[in-house]
């Protein structure tokens, strides 16, 4: 098996653009996340990933089924849809980090060369953890889900924290290394066009998010329609 792979910035631009697209779609779906949790309130995917306890997760889910039938169906459709879209997001997100780490690895020598290649392959771990987490949540979405035991809850909590730590550590190290390369002039001028492309993708993403943003009141009115 080849430990190192050569990529160009177009590969990263495509994966990064796909990640932003799936992020935007999931953001639209999240606008319809409401539950009757003590009072009618919004929730996010992070609330489901990091509940204080197994009981709190169940309360979020059962609260959805306490909504009027048409609204509950809307929330469930968007929630399940987001969890399914998230599988595609995982491929593009962890794929982007994998490519980025390999690109940095090829700029390094000796220890750094191996370290960033290891960072790249380590993305398999959060990818698998994310799959486990999504399957777990999808199986929980039913009118009367069982409250997970303390050991299961702690395990899912560890998986959630671990995937973020592994992915973010790789990203931060890559960005720091790339900033160093720019400061010492160790970059190709051909890469500038891809930097412009990546910035353009981010700009389009931010414009679309701004264009589809609402106040809390507007979100609730749109949700009820």
């Amino acid at each position: 098996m080849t430990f190192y792979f050569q990529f160009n910035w177009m590969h990263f631009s495509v994966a990064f653009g796909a990640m932003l697209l799936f992020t935007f779609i999931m953001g639209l779906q999240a606008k319809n996340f409401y539950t009757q949790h003590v009072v009618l309130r919004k929730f996010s995917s992070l609330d489901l990933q990091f509940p204080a306890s197994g009981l709190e997760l169940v309360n979020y889910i059962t609260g959805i089924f306490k909504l009027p039938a048409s609204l509950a169906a809307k929330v469930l459709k968007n929630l399940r849809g987001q969890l399914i879209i998230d599988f595609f997001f995982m491929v593009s997100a962890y794929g982007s980090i994998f490519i980025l780490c390999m690109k940095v690895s090829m700029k390094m020598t000796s220890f750094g060369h191996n370290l960033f290649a290891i960072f790249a392959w380590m993305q398999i771990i959060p990818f698998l953890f994310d799959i486990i987490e999504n399957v777990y949540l999808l199986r929980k979405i039913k009118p009367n889900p069982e409250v997970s035991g303390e050991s299961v809850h702690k395990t899912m909590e560890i998986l959630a924290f671990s995937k973020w730590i592994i992915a973010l550590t790789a990203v931060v190290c890559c960005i720091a290394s790339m900033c160093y390369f720019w400061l010492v002039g160790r970059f190709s001028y051909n890469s500038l066009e891809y930097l412009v492309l990546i910035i353009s993708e981010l700009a389009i993403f931010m414009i679309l998010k701004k264009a589809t943003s609402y106040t809390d009141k507007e979100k609730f009115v749109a949700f009820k329609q």
Side-chain angles (χ1 to χ4, degrees):
M1 178 180 174
T2 303
F3 191 65
Y4 301 97
F5 287 95
Q6 288 277 6
F7 293 98
N8 61 49
W9 284 113
M10 180 54 76
H11 294 131
F12 176 78
S13 300
V14 171
F16 187 72
M19 181 190 71
L20 292 178
L21 173 62
F22 293 130
T23 301
F24 176 70
I25 294 172
M26 290 192 296
L28 292 179
Q29 293 168 321
K31 293 179 187 297
N32 296 301
F33 287 3
Y34 283 88
T35 183
Q36 190 70 36
H37 186 36
V38 183
V39 295
L40 182 65
R41 55 164 292 183
K42 276 192 65 62
F43 69 93
S44 68
S45 57
L46 287 178
D47 291 320
L48 301 184
Q49 289 180 44
F50 298 103
S53 64
L55 178 60
E56 185 174 76
L57 174 61
V58 166
N59 286 337
Y60 276 118
I61 295 171
T62 55
I64 297 172
F65 290 91
K66 293 177 183 177
L67 296 170
S70 60
L71 298 184
K74 187 173 184 179
V75 176
L76 292 169
K77 177 183 176 182
N78 281 276
L79 179 56
R80 289 193 179 103
Q82 189 188 79
L83 289 171
I84 291 170
I85 291 292
D86 193 34
F87 287 107
F88 297 97
F89 170 82
M90 292 177 207
V91 175
S92 58
Y94 298 122
S96 296
I97 300 173
F98 181 89
I99 294 169
L100 188 61
C101 289
M102 281 296 179
K103 286 290 294 180
V104 173
S105 174
M106 293 306 166
K107 296 285 288 185
M108 297 282 194
T109 57
S110 186
F111 176 75
H113 181 57
N114 294 325
L115 177 64
F116 280 91
I118 291 171
F119 277 154
W121 286 106
M122 282 181 67
Q123 300 314 305
I124 294 174
I125 299 172
F127 179 54
L128 292 176
F129 286 177
D130 232 342
I131 290 174
I132 293 170
E133 187 177 55
N134 269 26
V135 171
Y136 171 76
L137 290 175
L138 282 167
R139 293 180 65 181
K140 283 285 185 184
I141 302 174
K142 51 188 176 183
N144 297 298
E146 292 184 7
V147 178
S148 297
E150 186 64 21
S151 60
V152 173
H153 173 71
K154 286 295 182 185
T155 299
M156 297 309 299
E157 196 172 53
I158 291 170
L159 295 186
F161 277 112
S162 297
K163 72 174 186 181
W164 281 101
I165 290 170
I166 294 171
L168 289 177
T169 298
V171 170
V172 170
C173 290
C174 283
I175 292 175
S177 298
M178 291 170 65
C179 288
Y180 169 76
F181 295 148
W182 275 86
L183 287 172
V184 299
R186 288 181 56 191
F187 63 90
S188 169
Y189 286 99
N190 292 332
S191 65
L192 289 175
E193 60 186 272
Y194 294 108
L195 178 61
V196 173
L197 175 59
I198 292 165
I199 292 173
S200 298
E201 290 176 339
L202 279 170
I204 293 171
F205 172 74
M206 296 304 294
I207 291 169
L208 289 174
K209 274 189 68 69
K210 184 67 176 177
T212 55
S213 64
Y214 305 100
T215 64
D216 288 340
K217 183 177 180 180
E218 289 170 334
K219 288 177 184 177
F220 184 64
V221 170
F223 167 69
K224 292 179 67 176
Q225 292 176 345

